[in-house]
Amino acid sequence: MTNETNEHAKTFKSLGIIEPLCQACEQLKYKIPTEIQSEAIPWALQDRDIIGLAQTGSGKTAAFALPILQALWDAPQGLFSCILAPTRELAYQIFETFESLGSTIGVRCAVIIGGMDMMSQSIALSKKPHIIIATPGRLQDHLENTKGFSLRNLKYLVLDEADKLLDMDFGPIIDKILKVIPKERHTYLFSATMTTKVAKLQRASLINPVKIEVSSKYSTVSTLLQYYLFFPFKYKDCYLIYLCNELAGNTIIIFTRTCNDTQRLALILRNLGFPAIPLSGKLSQSKRLGSLNKFKAGNKNILVATDVASRGLDIPLVDVVINYDIPSNSKDYIHRVGRTARAGRSGKSITLVTQYDVELYQRIEQVIGKQMELFPIDSKEDVMLLQERVSEAQRIATLEIKEEQQKKGGKGSKRIRNDDDVVDYKDKEDRDIIESNKLGKKAKKARR
């Protein structure tokens, strides 16, 4: 951690933020700066490049948004800053933060992501926004195909969740983007961890940066209570329903490994009277945003999601995270449970462990440096009482899925292009989940 900055400041004004932006912070109920904001903002206002290493939920977006908006206030121009994000949902969230913080100074923003109409995005770009928030693939599409659009006057480049950007193999696209933007610019790189790929990107894109590390260990927050439940695989759905019943009234995110399971579990939960909604890469972009907004607004209090929802999303007041499937990458576990216990609040995570998950479970405990506690249940008999109702809900969900597939005409495999990648298989899934699917197949063979 750098010791060159001042001590933790108590107000945004004391960090050097101008009054209009301080007012915007008050409207958003940003009461005092977080640690990453207190460390990064003074250096950013001194026109230094920044590498920010901080755990999820630490307030990284405002740490780069406020200095950029203040610089824009001081020197208004057309396209001023470009922020690259690894997922569409995170891009939209950053867009909303810039819109809210910049509302008092008249900032114009555009979000450029896959899964949306290219032409309407081209029109938005022609209106000369100050800030572009984009996923790398779609930004590269516009640089190559949208007449009159370029980044040659760019003043600020931000790489958010840089470790995830590079894990998703966006490296070659980012290299192309770096070649068409001015060398005389300010660059901010924010990441949860300093991987070898991130270090290489840092050397290629930043000039004499200040390194700010507010979390030296990749870990979960102290306000998070972490539990596990161990049971035979065949009762997995039954235990999930038992937990949802016990935690009724709480806001819950259930993480699964595959898109199909998000749809299946959401249907099972609905058939049993729980207000659940799915979120996965299989859904269209409008449905993905719709699911997220319904959950944020409280219209549905159970979100069943793949890891597309685990990174960077600030969903307020999530009480419980349930890991229906254990992620094969221990870092993904930390991002998942980081959806709760945010901004000093408490929260719970519960990980479902079957006989096929023991090795992954032990690996996670090693990474977080602590043992999870056994989640208290009254008795196994209480769980088994739900088996008949759960089996019926499973049967109905299977029929509903088949009917939906028949409506679509039983379409086969399609080649799908979006901002994440190009793949060939029936159910589009995020790149970082593919390996986990292989693990699941091995488990199925073992069960046979």
Side-chain angles (χ1 to χ4, degrees):
M1 179 188 296
T2 180
N3 294 318
E4 300 176 56
T5 49
N6 296 327
E7 293 181 1
H8 190 82
K10 292 184 178 179
T11 67
F12 286 100
K13 188 174 183 179
S14 65
L15 294 177
I17 298 299
I18 58 175
E19 189 58 35
L21 293 177
C22 287
Q23 290 174 7
C25 289
E26 286 178 19
Q27 290 169 7
L28 291 173
K29 297 183 180 177
Y30 293 176
K31 294 179 181 177
I32 59 171
T34 64
E35 191 175 356
I36 186 66
Q37 291 162 4
S38 293
E39 293 278 347
I41 288 173
W43 286 114
L45 295 178
Q46 294 177 38
D47 296 333
R48 293 290 297 272
D49 283 5
I50 290 171
I51 303 168
L53 301 179
Q55 64 188 22
T56 183
S58 58
K60 287 182 281 186
T61 305
F64 61 75
L66 287 169
I68 289 172
L69 290 170
Q70 185 149 320
L72 180 62
W73 171 270
D74 293 336
Q77 68 167 62
L79 181 54
F80 193 74
S81 176
C82 176
I83 293 90
L84 295 179
T87 67
R88 304 169 185 178
E89 284 71 26
L90 180 55
Y92 260 103
Q93 182 174 289
I94 295 169
F95 167 76
E96 289 169 355
T97 300
F98 267 95
E99 287 265 285
S100 299
L101 287 173
S103 60
T104 56
I105 65 172
V107 70
R108 297 191 305 276
C109 304
V111 61
I112 305 298
I113 60 172
M116 305 297 278
D117 179 53
M118 280 276 289
M119 183 57 68
S120 60
Q121 291 178 355
S122 298
I123 293 169
L125 291 173
S126 70
K127 294 179 180 177
K128 307 298 181 187
H130 301 115
I131 313 289
I132 292 175
I133 302 97
T135 46
R138 180 50 63 93
L139 180 65
Q140 182 64 18
D141 284 345
H142 280 287
L143 286 169
E144 292 175 352
N145 302 309
T146 298
K147 190 175 180 181
F149 171 63
S150 78
L151 299 173
R152 57 176 176 265
N153 294 318
L154 198 70
K155 299 298 182 187
Y156 285 84
L157 174 69
V158 180
L159 301 161
D160 194 22
E161 299 284 356
D163 52 341
K164 183 69 172 179
L165 278 169
L166 297 172
D167 283 345
M168 293 173 73
D169 294 332
F170 282 131
I173 297 176
I174 293 172
D175 288 340
K176 288 181 180 178
I177 293 169
L178 290 174
K179 288 177 183 176
V180 297
I181 61 177
K183 291 184 178 179
E184 295 295 322
R185 66 173 191 273
H186 303 298
T187 307
Y188 303 150
L189 186 153
F190 284 86
S191 179
T193 53
M194 180 54 81
T195 64
T196 305
K197 289 180 179 178
V198 172
K200 186 177 178 182
L201 179 61
Q202 167 218 320
R203 291 192 293 271
S205 59
L206 281 77
I207 300 171
N208 189 26
V210 177
K211 184 178 179 181
I212 297 166
E213 190 170 1
V214 301
S215 177
S216 57
K217 185 181 178 185
Y218 198 71
S219 62
T220 53
V221 296
S222 59
T223 53
L224 174 69
L225 300 174
Q226 300 177 72
Y227 298 98
Y228 77 96
L229 271 174
F230 184 71
F231 48 81
F233 177 85
K234 62 181 178 179
Y235 300 128
K236 197 171 188 179
D237 288 356
C238 201
Y239 271 83
L240 177 68
I241 300 306
Y242 174 83
L243 285 175
C244 290
N245 213 26
E246 289 293 299
L247 299 166
N250 287 281
T251 307
I252 303 170
I253 300 182
I254 300 168
F255 280 106
T256 70
R257 187 173 291 132
T258 68
C259 292
N260 285 341
D261 267 343
T262 62
Q263 183 186 15
R264 185 181 68 84
L265 289 176
L267 287 171
I268 290 172
L269 286 161
R270 285 180 195 166
N271 290 331
L272 291 170
F274 295 97
I277 193 162
L279 174 64
S280 72
K282 184 178 179 180
L283 299 175
S284 67
Q285 187 56 39
S286 58
K287 286 184 178 179
R288 283 162 71 168
L289 289 173
S291 293
L292 201 54
N293 289 334
K294 284 178 184 177
F295 185 67
K296 282 185 174 183
N299 298 334
K300 306 283 184 180
N301 70 347
I302 299 178
L303 181 70
V304 188
T306 59
D307 283 316
V308 75
S310 70
R311 275 280 186 146
L313 296 187
D314 184 19
I315 304 170
L317 303 177
V318 175
D319 301 309
V320 184
V321 166
I322 298 176
N323 289 300
Y324 177 83
D325 293 314
I326 299 182
S328 57
N329 188 330
S330 301
K331 292 178 184 177
D332 289 335
Y333 169 85
I334 293 178
H335 284 290
R336 286 181 179 187
V337 300
R339 299 309 98 209
T340 186
R342 296 172 75 83
R345 294 186 293 267
S346 61
K348 290 188 185 79
S349 70
I350 306 168
T351 298
L352 305 188
V353 186
T354 73
Q355 65 269 38
Y356 306 109
D357 305 317
V358 175
E359 185 180 343
L360 289 174
Y361 168 75
Q362 291 174 336
R363 196 184 303 166
I364 287 169
E365 284 194 328
Q366 284 182 334
V367 168
I368 64 177
K370 63 171 70 173
Q371 290 187 332
M372 299 183 209
E373 296 179 32
L374 181 64
F375 187 80
I377 60 174
D378 294 331
S379 68
K380 291 181 181 177
E381 288 74 20
D382 288 344
V383 180
M384 292 301 101
L385 286 173
L386 297 169
Q387 184 63 48
E388 189 175 337
R389 289 178 60 207
V390 170
S391 296
E392 178 63 13
Q394 288 172 328
R395 186 185 69 79
I396 295 170
T398 301
L399 289 173
E400 288 177 337
I401 291 170
K402 284 182 179 177
E403 286 175 9
E404 185 65 28
Q405 288 172 345
Q406 287 170 358
K407 283 179 185 177
K408 292 179 180 177
K411 293 176 183 177
S413 177
K414 286 186 176 180
R415 189 166 179 82
I416 302 171
R417 169 67 195 258
N418 68 8
D419 63 296
D420 296 336
D421 49 13
V422 179
V423 291
D424 278 302
Y425 55 106
K426 187 172 181 180
D427 293 318
K428 168 72 181 74
E429 188 48 83
D430 292 320
R431 189 186 297 273
D432 57 345
I433 298 174
I434 294 172
E435 290 304 317
S436 300
N437 286 346
K438 292 177 183 175
L439 191 71
K441 288 177 184 175
K442 288 180 182 177
K444 284 181 183 177
K445 287 181 181 177
R447 291 196 294 278
R448 288 181 192 140

